[in-house]
Amino acid sequence: MTAQARSHPAAAEPRRAGRQCSPGGRGQLTRKHASAGVRWGGFSLLLLNLEEYYSEQHRANHILHKGSHHERKIRGSLKICSKSAIFEPDAISQPIIKIPLRDCIKTGKHRENGANRHFTKAKSGSISLIFSQVYFIKEHNVVAPYKIERGKMEYVFELDVSEKVEDVVETLLQLHRASCIDKLDDQTAMITAILQSRLARTSFDKNRFQNISEKLHMECKAEMVTPLVTNAGHVCITDTNLYFQPLNGYPKPVVQITLQDVRRIYKRRHALMPLGLEVFCREDDLCSDIYLKFYEPQDRDDLYFYIATYLEHHVAGHTAESYMLQWQRGLLSNYQYLLHLNNLADRSCNDLSQYPVFPWIIHDYSSSELDMSNPGNFRDLSKPVGALNKERLERLLTRYQEMPEPKFMYGSHYSSPGYYMLCLQNERFDNADRMFNSIAETWKNSLDGATDFKELIPEFYGDDVSFLVNSLKLDLGKRQGQMVDDVELPPWASSPEDFLQKSKDALESNYVSEHLHEWIDLIFGYKQKGSGAVGAHNVFHPLTYEGGVDLNSIQDPDEKVAMLTQILEFGQTPKQLFVTPHPRRITPKFKSLSQTSSYNASMADSPVSPGEESFEDLTEESKTLAWNNITKLQLHEHYKIHKEAVTGITVSRNGSSVFTTSQDSTLKMFSKESKMLQRSISFSNMASSSCLLLPGDATVITSSWDNNVYFYSTAFGRWQDTLMGHDDAVGKICWHDNRLYSASWDSTVKVWSGVPAEMPGTKRHHFDLLAELEHDVSVETISLNPASTLLVSGTKEGTVNIWDLTTATLMHQIPCHSGIVCDTAFSPDSHHVLSTEADGCLNVIDVQTGMLISSMTSDEPQRCLVWDGNSILSGSQSGELLVWNLLGAKISERTQGHTCAVTCIWMNEQCSRPIVGGGEGRDSIRRDI
């Protein structure tokens, strides 16, 4: 049997009280343990030793004073475990009896005359155990240090089924031999062999299926993992259910999970091996519904594949990036986002060596009132706990600089098993001075202690106050003359409930929302390891990092076990999720942040700046309503206008005239009122690629594959001017504030200054080249953010480039597509860029960091798009219009738009009437929402 989650390193032979607690030690039994079948009135797996498993149980009587006039029977269950025999009386007033097998002197059947013989043929239903030491646990149902009785003694247990006595005696003798082996590795190997033999002789009971029509897909051996213990049994998956049948029938005969209820599954490292699988049936629950540890990685992977395949058809998948987008957009709270990141980074409430980690948030634990409007009352989230105290940091840096390789700053971790539980050490609780007694004192120790750098756990921001309250009135000893009882709260908390509520409020505050990404960089991101960690003073012992040691390369079994034990007990750094700076959250007070870059300045200048209104407010209620109804698109009218694919659409401000360009080289003007084509102009014999109307609607500009940009006067109905500014085809043009932006296949985007749009029709344009944005390959498309301070370009080779137009510099270059980028667009708040290409992929990029934070794929190329930051309307190669729920990462609606490719989309200001151009060269379709 493999190593389980470890207890506190100081526990030489712990007897666990089974309480989940906060850093330092105190805590009540939480629902995580309750889900594992713990009940305070009886037996619990937490009564077992480390690396001990519970094999089987038998209804039996404990016979006292066998054969005498005072003989009496205590009814209960005899439980056979790998290192002990445990008798649990039915009456909770009676103590649970635990007999270590290592202390047994003789084991066998009990003869009626009281003599003990190994494997006697007498038909006795009783088992005799002669031993030198026994523990009495929870007498009168009181959780307290165990009582120990020493000296040679004999206990007799009478089984209800006498035919099982021989098998039970044989099992006890085998386990006794194993427990007497001094070498831990050999002892573990023998116990594992006994367990595997028992598992091999059994299989899942198919009579436990919920429905006789269920189809079996796979069955294998595994263990169900709960805090501190594992339970061996059989896993079975059918077309509708996942089952686990414990070998011992505890806590119930079968654990059953309906696949339809599953929301998330995660592969886990268990004891540093790729053997774990965790299943969640509730999206935002802290604890999973089942955590399984397999004996073979292939079994784990096969089961994962089957469930994942099922979920693909029923539940939207999520990555760290997709959760990030939901968090940025306000659909996930800070608490929910941290929970998801912990899950993705291999942290689990069922594995104390990898328990979820949350940050200290509040800095003030001494005031009578907590002012959350004062930034000084919050912890600096840009620094690890070890770097919060300047004087301590200087001492640590001095030691770090003098240390030989491999260097590390902190000799203890911010998250280790010893922080999370209260153990009975040598049958009694730990020293009262080392327990979790005070919030303020724990914070002070984390700031000032030479070896204390701990962060917090999710319970500090939850609803369950049990880890703060000694509701069982355990005798935890005295501290400075006072009995240790409930955790001492800061003055600003009137009760444990008030403390948790204010902690939750602090976690969701504006200050934390604006700075949480800095802490994520330290724990899950690019400052977790490497040069980023060194620069942030965030370097821990090499063994704490994933892949810090190759256990398979260690040949000596004892050395390998010792190394594994050290790693699990010391603490483990979460799996790294991000290798680039984490984007900040989009908050209403974004403008209050330090604006150290042109990006931040552009955000402040944006007409839809989050500093003025939230990201969900698109200035007008009608826009929000329109996008909410985007799935209700209805065909309004369609017209035959061009002979070839439509490449551009623009509409006059009053909506009366529609201008379109096409690969047939023409610019056409269509009247919506008369429903007739009014003008058709051709500037060259090569394709026109895009068009736009200048303010005032007096001039239309078109770009062409003949390398030129043409100006056409709508008032006078004639050509006005030609800008010959490129050496290859011009693919896209944009205009803002008397500036023209042109993208060309000559690998440049050029910025031109123009004259006022209200010029007479006979006046020639005068343009000056202001900037030239150079690319490595041809530029296919460009878009501006609403304030025209940022430009995004998409290239022939699939690269998306984000430019700062205030300095004409490249901010980010993201190679996120495999082919030609067809279209790009900024979100209305300028925080994100959306791009699409011929591979059918829609990518969302964070403008601040350049991080690819979401990627969705369709089964065909998407040629064009519009979006509001949350929902997307895209045109596909097949002619369908697709509505995407970006935050749900799924396609919400499909509508047929054309008989072949949708090539361009124009959306009116109210976002209520998109006009769609088709690739068949016949129609331009207008739709009402």
Side-chain angles (χ1 to χ4, degrees):
M1 181 168 179
T2 57
Q4 301 169 358
R6 303 281 174 168
S7 71
H8 194 286
E13 188 179 359
R15 306 292 186 262
R16 291 175 289 251
R19 298 167 54 214
Q20 177 65 39
C21 65
S22 57
R26 179 181 293 104
Q28 299 298 97
L29 177 73
T30 66
R31 61 194 177 91
K32 292 177 288 301
H33 293 141
S35 69
V38 176
R39 57 188 180 91
W40 287 109
F43 172 79
S44 160
L45 292 177
L46 293 163
L47 299 179
L48 306 183
N49 287 356
L50 290 177
E51 300 186 25
E52 182 175 15
Y53 72 86
Y54 166 31
S55 174
E56 59 191 78
Q57 78 161 354
H58 303 275
R59 292 296 293 167
N61 294 316
H62 176 205
I63 304 177
L64 301 177
H65 312 295
K66 177 75 172 176
S68 72
H69 294 295
H70 301 290
E71 178 179 314
R72 67 187 182 97
K73 298 180 179 181
I74 299 176
R75 189 69 175 152
S77 297
L78 179 64
K79 304 176 189 301
I80 310 303
C81 306
S82 59
K83 296 183 180 181
S84 61
I86 297 177
F87 181 76
E88 177 191 10
D90 290 346
I92 63 174
S93 60
Q94 295 288 331
I96 294 173
I97 299 169
K98 181 175 182 179
I99 304 170
L101 296 179
R102 189 183 183 96
D103 295 328
C104 286
I105 300 170
K106 185 176 291 187
T107 302
K109 288 184 179 182
H110 181 82
R111 288 179 43 161
E112 292 302 323
N113 61 5
N116 290 313
R117 299 277 179 84
H118 291 296
F119 308 110
T120 177
K121 298 199 181 280
K123 296 195 179 215
S124 168
S126 300
I127 297 173
S128 169
L129 295 176
I130 299 176
F131 49 86
S132 60
Q133 182 170 255
V134 63
Y135 297 98
F136 298 98
I137 305 169
K138 293 200 290 187
E139 189 171 9
H140 301 296
N141 199 31
V142 175
V143 177
Y146 302 172
K147 292 182 179 179
I148 309 172
E149 186 174 326
R150 294 185 174 92
K152 186 176 180 180
M153 60 199 97
E154 177 184 13
Y155 277 11
V156 177
F157 301 97
E158 182 183 63
L159 303 189
D160 285 6
V161 182
S162 60
E163 291 80 3
K164 292 188 176 181
V165 169
E166 276 196 19
D167 287 342
V168 173
V169 169
E170 178 62 30
T171 299
L172 286 171
L173 290 172
Q174 285 182 337
L175 293 172
H176 174 259
R177 287 195 294 271
S179 66
C180 292
I181 299 175
D182 290 328
K183 195 173 181 181
L184 179 61
D185 188 57
D186 292 341
Q187 181 187 110
T188 301
M190 184 171 179
I191 291 175
T192 300
I194 295 171
L195 172 64
Q196 292 298 324
S197 174
R198 182 168 171 77
L199 284 170
R201 296 195 306 269
T202 59
S203 62
F204 185 86
D205 182 2
K206 308 304 188 295
N207 292 322
R208 296 288 183 177
F209 283 175
Q210 293 289 302
N211 192 303
I212 59 173
S213 64
E214 286 186 62
K215 181 181 178 182
L216 175 65
H217 283 281
M218 71 170 289
E219 178 184 347
C220 62
K221 299 176 290 185
E223 297 175 11
M224 186 171 72
V225 180
T226 53
L228 295 172
V229 292
T230 63
N231 203 5
H234 295 275
V235 169
C236 183
I237 190 165
T238 70
D239 52 345
T240 56
N241 291 288
L242 170 67
Y243 298 95
F244 176 76
Q245 185 173 27
L247 197 59
N248 49 39
Y250 182 89
K252 53 185 179 180
V254 170
V255 177
Q256 178 255 329
I257 293 176
T258 303
L259 294 182
Q260 195 172 17
D261 294 337
V262 176
R263 289 296 171 266
R264 292 178 286 125
I265 55 171
Y266 297 101
K267 291 182 179 180
R268 297 287 188 224
R269 290 176 300 159
H270 185 83
L272 303 186
M273 300 295 288
L275 299 171
L277 181 71
E278 194 160 23
V279 180
F280 289 78
C281 292
R282 290 168 294 279
E283 184 61 37
D284 297 318
D285 204 356
L286 173 60
C287 303
S288 64
D289 290 80
I290 193 169
Y291 184 132
L292 296 170
K293 190 216 82 173
F294 296 81
Y295 298 107
E296 298 294 336
Q298 190 61 51
D299 288 340
R300 190 277 303 267
D301 293 343
D302 289 346
L303 191 70
Y304 177 89
F305 176 79
Y306 183 81
I307 300 178
T309 302
Y310 180 92
L311 293 182
E312 281 181 7
H313 299 96
H314 298 84
V315 180
H318 288 290
T319 62
E321 290 76 18
S322 65
Y323 282 128
M324 178 204 299
L325 183 61
Q326 293 186 49
W327 172 72
Q328 277 194 294
R329 292 274 165 193
L331 293 193
L332 289 179
S333 66
N334 292 337
Y335 176 84
Q336 291 171 321
Y337 185 46
L338 290 177
L339 272 188
H340 289 309
L341 292 184
N342 272 282
N343 273 318
L344 291 167
D346 258 356
R347 314 301 282 190
S348 169
C349 291
N350 288 303
D351 185 351
L352 296 190
S353 69
Q354 298 190 95
Y355 204 80
V357 56
F358 269 56
W360 284 99
I361 292 296
I362 299 169
H363 186 276
D364 179 10
Y365 292 99
S366 59
S367 301
S368 58
E369 298 290 334
L370 181 60
D371 181 7
M372 293 193 194
S373 65
N374 179 6
N377 288 334
F378 291 90
R379 167 257 184 102
D380 186 347
L381 289 166
S382 68
K383 299 177 181 178
V385 168
L388 293 175
N389 183 320
K390 185 177 179 181
E391 290 75 18
R392 179 176 67 175
L393 177 61
E394 289 176 353
R395 294 194 300 269
L396 291 168
L397 283 173
T398 300
R399 188 187 70 172
Y400 174 77
Q401 291 162 1
E402 296 172 351
M403 185 182 295
E405 295 292 346
K407 294 184 176 184
F408 57 91
M409 289 192 62
Y410 308 114
S412 63
H413 205 254
Y414 53 78
S415 172
S416 72
Y419 297 156
Y420 305 137
M421 63 191 176
L422 173 61
C423 289
L424 289 175
Q425 298 177 32
N426 298 319
E427 293 76 55
R428 51 179 51 87
F429 293 123
D430 195 8
N431 187 292
D433 289 325
R434 292 200 293 266
M435 289 188 180
F436 175 40
N437 296 290
S438 163
I439 302 290
E441 189 174 297
T442 302
W443 168 242
K444 185 177 185 301
N445 288 340
S446 294
L447 281 183
D448 302 334
T451 60
D452 191 346
F453 313 106
K454 70 175 71 72
E455 292 280 8
L456 296 183
I457 54 177
E459 282 80 355
F460 274 77
Y461 305 101
D463 299 316
D464 185 1
V465 301
S466 63
F467 75 100
L468 299 169
V469 181
N470 184 15
S471 60
L472 292 176
K473 299 304 176 186
L474 301 178
D475 183 359
L476 301 173
K478 290 186 178 181
R479 187 171 180 266
Q480 298 175 353
Q482 298 292 321
M483 290 297 297
V484 174
D485 197 25
D486 296 345
V487 173
E488 182 181 335
L489 302 174
W492 45 258
S494 60
S495 66
E497 291 79 7
D498 185 48
F499 171 75
L500 291 188
Q501 185 58 55
K502 286 176 178 173
S503 296
K504 287 190 287 185
D505 292 343
L507 181 62
E508 304 302 334
S509 66
N510 281 334
Y511 177 88
V512 174
S513 292
E514 292 168 355
H515 294 278
L516 187 58
H517 65 283
E518 298 172 329
W519 185 83
I520 293 172
D521 283 337
L522 295 169
I523 306 300
F524 304 105
Y526 81 107
K527 292 182 180 179
Q528 183 198 90
K529 58 179 70 172
S531 59
V534 174
H537 308 309
N538 193 40
V539 182
F540 291 85
H541 194 283
L543 289 180
T544 68
Y545 295 96
E546 183 178 22
V549 62
D550 181 8
L551 288 175
N552 294 325
S553 66
I554 302 176
Q555 300 300 319
D556 183 80
D558 289 338
E559 183 183 349
K560 181 180 292 189
V561 170
M563 180 65 72
L564 176 63
T565 302
Q566 181 181 354
I567 292 170
L568 295 181
E569 291 181 349
F570 189 88
Q572 296 178 63
T573 299
K575 180 185 295 182
Q576 189 175 27
L577 300 178
F578 309 105
V579 294
T580 56
H582 190 286
R584 68 183 70 204
R585 196 175 195 186
I586 304 170
T587 64
K589 293 188 177 181
F590 190 90
K591 283 175 70 175
S592 67
L593 301 176
S594 60
Q595 297 179 355
T596 57
S597 69
S598 58
Y599 166 76
N600 289 335
S602 71
M603 294 299 101
D605 296 336
S606 172
V608 193
S609 169
E612 299 170 5
E613 52 196 70
S614 76
F615 58 81
E616 294 174 329
D617 184 357
L618 298 182
T619 308
E620 298 177 16
E621 186 178 345
S622 60
K623 292 184 180 182
T624 303
L625 180 62
W627 277 104
N628 287 341
N629 293 320
I630 193 70
T631 57
K632 301 176 183 178
L633 282 173
Q634 295 293 325
L635 175 62
H636 187 63
E637 51 196 357
H638 63 93
Y639 303 97
K640 178 181 178 181
I641 296 178
H642 290 280
K643 296 178 180 179
E644 295 184 34
V646 178
T647 57
I649 303 171
T650 187
V651 180
S652 60
R653 190 166 183 80
N654 62 11
S656 63
S657 299
V658 178
F659 297 86
T660 59
T661 52
S662 168
Q663 288 185 1
D664 63 11
S665 79
T666 62
L667 166 69
K668 297 196 176 184
M669 176 179 172
F670 182 85
S671 171
K672 291 201 298 182
E673 294 176 351
S674 64
K675 303 187 187 311
M676 294 183 63
L677 183 65
Q678 293 187 322
R679 297 176 189 174
S680 179
I681 309 99
S682 181
F683 299 106
S684 76
N685 59 0
M686 299 190 71
S688 297
S689 55
S690 67
C691 61
L692 58 85
L693 269 167
L694 296 187
D697 293 348
T699 302
V700 178
I701 308 179
T702 69
S703 57
S704 174
W705 286 4
D706 69 358
N707 310 354
N708 298 327
V709 177
Y710 296 96
F711 295 78
Y712 176 80
S713 171
T714 59
F716 293 89
R718 63 189 180 193
W719 165 86
Q720 259 186 342
D721 205 353
T722 301
L723 174 63
M724 295 180 286
H726 287 280
D727 299 325
D728 207 335
V730 180
K732 184 74 177 289
I733 52 175
C734 297
W735 178 278
H736 185 269
D737 196 20
N738 295 327
R739 291 190 177 183
L740 174 68
Y741 304 84
S742 57
S744 171
W745 296 358
D746 65 7
S747 305
T748 66
V749 173
K750 294 185 177 180
V751 184
W752 311 84
S753 68
V755 296
E758 296 81 15
M759 58 191 157
T762 56
K763 185 174 180 180
R764 296 289 295 270
H765 289 258
H766 175 73
F767 286 96
D768 292 322
L769 181 62
L770 299 180
E772 185 170 329
L773 312 179
E774 296 185 354
H775 297 67
D776 296 329
V777 294
S778 64
V779 184
E780 301 292 326
T781 184
I782 55 172
S783 298
L784 299 172
N785 74 325
S788 293
T789 53
L790 302 172
L791 179 144
V792 57
S793 59
T795 71
K796 179 182 180 180
E797 294 185 354
T799 300
V800 173
N801 305 276
I802 301 175
W803 299 82
D804 182 348
L805 292 177
T806 63
T807 58
T809 56
L810 180 65
M811 294 172 58
H812 305 292
Q813 188 174 54
I814 308 101
C816 56
H817 292 287
S818 59
I820 295 174
V821 179
C822 299
D823 204 358
T824 59
F826 281 92
S827 59
D829 58 20
S830 299
H831 286 288
H832 298 120
V833 162
L834 176 67
S835 62
T836 185
E837 65 134 333
D839 61 2
C841 202
L842 292 177
N843 288 332
V844 180
I845 298 165
D846 181 77
V847 172
Q848 176 200 1
T849 62
M851 180 185 290
L852 178 63
I853 60 175
S854 181
S855 185
M856 300 179 295
T857 304
S858 67
D859 52 6
E860 59 180 325
Q862 301 299 303
R863 298 284 298 274
C864 51
L865 56 87
V866 290
W867 73 316
D868 71 337
N870 297 323
S871 298
I872 304 167
L873 177 64
S874 68
S876 67
Q877 184 69 31
S878 67
E880 280 189 318
L881 291 172
L882 273 55
V883 178
W884 303 72
N885 179 344
L886 176 61
L887 302 180
K890 62 181 180 181
I891 297 174
S892 303
E893 188 65 37
R894 292 175 179 266
T895 304
Q896 194 63 39
H898 285 267
T899 57
C900 61
V902 177
T903 53
C904 56
I905 303 175
W906 175 90
M907 181 73 83
N908 65 333
E909 188 176 354
Q910 291 73 34
C911 304
S912 60
R913 293 193 173 187
I915 300 178
V916 181
E920 69 271 54
R922 296 187 307 151
D923 303 312
S924 177
I925 298 180
R926 192 178 121 222
R927 296 179 170 264
D928 281 353
I929 297 176

